[in-house]
Amino acid sequence: MARARAEGHLRGTQGVEAAFGELGIRIPRPLGHGPSRFIPEKETIQVGNEDAMMHTLFAESFATLGRLDNVTLVMVFHPQYLESFLKTQHYLLQMDGPLPLHYRHYIGIMAAARHQCSYLVNLHVNDFLHVGGDPKWLNGLENAPQKLQNLGELNKMLAHRPWLITKEHIEQLLKTEENSWSLAELIHAVVLLTHYHSLASFTFGCGISPEIDCEGGHTFRPPSVSNYCICDMTNGYHGVDDIHASPTTTESVCEVEALMEKMKQLQECRDEEEASQEEMATRFEREKRESMFVCSSEDEESAPTRDVSRHFEDTSYGYKDFSRHGMHVPTFRAQDYSWEDHGYSLVNRLYPDVGQLLDEKFHIAYNLTYNTMAMHKDVDTSMLRRAIWNYIHCMFGIRYDDYDYGEINQLLDRSFKVYIKTVVCTPEKTTKRMYDSFWRQFEHSEKGQTTLSPLPLLTTPSAPQVHVNLLLVEARMQAELLYALRAITRYMT
């Protein structure tokens, strides 16, 4: 019966396509199935079925962007975060600020291109042209004004090795005569660069699919009667039920309970005995060294395609562990320069209100919780969230003196660390296999199954994984900002 209906629908579709074909009009159809290649379409919100809060967010997104993009459709798993994200992005791109509108979109293109994120590049190419940008600039960075070309060095270091940024790099940008940047312009540019580097991490980490009207988002091949055709397989889709490397419920519950027991034991150890500062420093250095040897099993060099690489220089420049090959970079002590005490006020002073917007977004991502793990309610997951955030900052050499880095190995297994490092450092190498296999029990943990979260969408298996990606991208953005803002502060003093 189902097959007969499918064949009837196909015949009807083919009849319409044939009629248009006689007019020389080809009808595109979407290549993907839903907004993400990693998340089954049945788990995502269907436009028209959203609640009042989500409807408001969708309307705001459409009013701001002129479209309802797939990033929004995935982020809406966590509406509180999405609201803050949209507000921040709208301010950066469209509200009064130091940089002209076309510069903002071009900087977004430059930043996304560093991670070969054609999805974001294509979106901002359209926006750049829409606000009056010169099409010649899109032929390559060398065709853009020298002022933007000069930003290329900072762009590549922020994206791949932010610990190398010094006040001398800042000075070169601020003292280049007619092509110089003002401090306010530079702060705006730095926030845009870090925003789009981290958004590239989210795009790859959640397997965001291009929209039907974007390059790579449609095909003119006829649909297949079966659940999928060969062109779907190349797009990472494997049928209606898709292939998930999920564990059984029993295995998941056991893993969650084991994790909860570790958290309980760690809390008891904290209460009974506090490690000395020397021991805490040793544990940080150990975790920092170990993070260098966490690498993706898919780890291989991939040359960026021409249509993306033309928007940046030095295509061979990529992520390198900060203390590999005997090169030692001093630890960045958060107690000496932190977002809360230093970065926030600097951004707010030179680019009013943006420091507040970023601070709100960081706090929402860091504190977001539904207080559940599998069947367990009223669970304090702060220890777990802090371990994820601090592990990312540890990979960037940032140390919190009051944190025991020994907790990270207790709470994060190796497959989860591989996923974190890939999404944060080389997001373009993220695969569906990594997404499906990382920290298996997380698919059944911290879902909104309590009265704390009335949204039915948050009960889906993918909500916690999207939550993890929000933590990853915000921790990454803050780490990049800290290195850039510290260099700017040193230049100013």
Side-chain angles (χ1 to χ4, degrees), residues 192-487:
L192 282 168
L193 290 171
T194 57
H195 175 80
Y196 282 103
H197 293 157
S198 62
L199 190 54
S201 283
F202 184 85
T203 301
F204 284 114
C206 288
I208 301 296
S209 301
E211 287 79 21
I212 189 172
D213 59 329
C214 294
E215 183 179 341
H218 60 267
T219 180
F220 291 102
R221 293 186 184 187
S224 168
V225 176
S226 63
N227 284 339
Y228 60 89
C229 63
I230 193 69
C231 55
D232 292 325
M233 295 177 68
T234 64
N235 197 48
Y237 181 76
H238 301 281
V240 171
D241 295 323
D242 218 342
I243 296 173
H244 275 266
S246 301
T248 65
T249 302
T250 303
E251 288 174 334
S252 297
V253 170
C254 289
E255 289 177 346
V256 168
E257 290 180 347
L259 178 60
M260 290 180 64
E261 182 61 29
K262 286 180 183 177
M263 291 166 61
K264 180 182 176 183
Q265 291 172 358
L266 287 170
Q267 186 59 56
E268 289 172 350
C269 289
R270 278 183 186 175
D271 296 338
E272 291 173 6
E273 184 180 353
E274 188 172 330
S276 67
Q277 280 299 313
E278 291 77 10
E279 177 60 24
M280 300 269 265
T282 299
R283 291 175 185 176
F284 169 78
E285 293 297 333
R286 184 186 303 126
E287 188 60 48
K288 188 170 70 168
R289 282 196 305 273
E290 288 181 4
S291 74
M292 292 189 303
F293 300 103
V294 173
C295 58
S296 163
S297 58
E298 317 282 335
D299 199 8
E300 57 185 35
E301 294 298 324
S302 57
T305 54
R306 166 62 188 162
D307 63 321
V308 172
S309 65
R310 65 186 171 193
H311 299 299
F312 63 92
E313 298 172 320
D314 197 356
T315 57
S316 63
Y317 192 95
Y319 170 79
K320 297 291 181 187
D321 290 295
F322 58 90
S323 45
R324 279 266 177 101
H325 313 301
M327 181 180 69
H328 177 69
V329 177
T331 293
F332 186 125
R333 295 180 71 251
Q335 275 64 23
D336 296 334
Y337 196 95
S338 68
W339 166 255
E340 293 80 6
D341 297 332
H342 306 90
Y344 168 82
S345 58
L346 177 62
V347 173
N348 243 20
R349 178 153 47 98
L350 293 170
Y351 190 8
D353 298 327
V354 170
Q356 180 64 40
L357 289 168
L358 293 175
D359 193 60
E360 176 185 291
K361 188 158 63 79
F362 291 148
H363 275 89
I364 290 173
Y366 186 90
N367 294 312
L368 187 64
T369 181
Y370 304 104
N371 297 95
T372 62
M373 293 187 76
M375 312 301 181
H376 304 277
K377 299 180 181 180
D378 301 318
V379 180
D380 181 2
T381 60
S382 58
M383 182 181 291
L384 193 54
R385 286 178 278 118
R386 191 179 185 193
I388 294 170
W389 188 280
N390 286 0
Y391 179 63
I392 295 163
H393 280 201
C394 178
M395 292 191 305
F396 284 88
I398 299 171
R399 179 193 167 203
Y400 296 87
D401 288 350
D402 61 346
Y403 183 69
D404 182 356
Y405 287 84
E407 293 183 3
I408 290 175
N409 276 339
Q410 297 291 318
L411 299 174
L412 312 182
D413 65 23
R414 185 168 182 82
S415 66
F416 192 23
K417 286 183 174 181
V418 168
Y419 180 79
I420 289 173
K421 187 169 185 179
T422 304
V423 171
V424 170
C425 300
T426 53
E428 61 276 13
K429 295 179 181 178
T430 308
T431 65
K432 188 174 188 297
R433 186 185 301 111
M434 290 180 188
Y435 181 88
D436 285 342
S437 65
F438 88 79
W439 207 23
R440 296 180 304 163
Q441 71 270 32
F442 211 7
E443 287 194 346
H444 299 271
S445 69
E446 206 176 351
K447 299 175 191 172
Q449 297 173 334
T450 74
T451 55
L452 293 175
S453 178
L455 300 174
L457 184 62
L458 297 177
T459 64
T460 65
S462 297
Q465 290 169 306
V466 174
H467 182 185
V468 168
N469 279 321
L470 298 181
L471 271 174
L472 305 192
V473 301
E474 293 301 332
R476 175 195 175 162
M477 181 175 184
Q478 191 179 100
E480 285 189 30
L481 276 174
L482 284 173
Y483 277 106
L485 296 176
R486 184 180 68 168

Side-chain angles (χ1 to χ4, degrees), residues 65-99:
L65 304 173
R67 59 182 176 269
L68 189 57
D69 63 13
N70 286 340
V71 167
T72 299
L73 291 174
V74 172
M75 275 189 188
V76 80
F77 274 109
H78 302 284
Q80 184 187 10
Y81 175 85
L82 176 60
E83 182 178 22
S84 178
F85 172 86
L86 290 175
K87 188 163 52 173
T88 303
Q89 184 167 262
H90 175 67
Y91 198 98
L92 292 175
L93 292 177
Q94 298 187 24
M95 298 297 285
D96 289 343
L99 293 173

